[in-house]
Amino acid sequence: MDVMNLRGAVLSRFNTIGAFADAVGWKRNKASRVLNGLQEMDVSDIQAVTEVLGIDSREDFTHIFFPSMSTKWTV
C-alpha cells in the first residue's frame, strides 16, 4: 500500500466515506469524524479498519495509524 494516511487509504479503496462506513459497519458520521481527526478510534475500531483496508504488513499499519512514528524506525 503506497498511502501514507488513513483518509488517503480509505478514499483510494472505497472512493467515498459512505462506502467505507458501510464496509466497516459504522454510521457515516463516525467515519467522517474519524477520517477528519475529530474522533479517535479504539482498538476494535483499528482492527476493523485494518481488516477492511486489507492492511497486512507492519510497515503499512505504522504508516496508516502512527504516521509520526513511522519515519523514526526507518532503516
Side-chain angles (χ1 to χ4, degrees):
M1 184 176 302
D2 193 22
V3 178
M4 291 297 181
N5 63 51
L6 178 59
R7 184 179 182 83
V10 165
L11 294 177
S12 72
R13 179 155 180 141
F14 292 100
N15 297 317
T16 68
I17 293 173
F20 165 69
D22 290 343
V24 80
W26 295 348
K27 294 186 183 235
R28 191 194 177 288
N29 262 351
K30 177 179 180 174
S32 182
R33 288 191 311 268
V34 167
L35 295 180
N36 289 313
L38 301 174
Q39 179 175 334
E40 292 186 18
M41 293 183 281
D42 62 22
V43 173
S44 62
D45 292 337
I46 291 173
Q47 182 178 3
V49 171
T50 300
E51 290 172 9
V52 300
L53 290 178
I55 299 170
D56 58 1
S57 77
R58 283 184 258 180
E59 182 180 87
D60 289 341
F61 182 87
T62 303
H63 283 299
I64 298 290
F65 296 104
F66 303 100
S68 64
M69 295 177 65
S70 65
T71 56
K72 220 182 241 187
W73 283 270
T74 308
V75 184

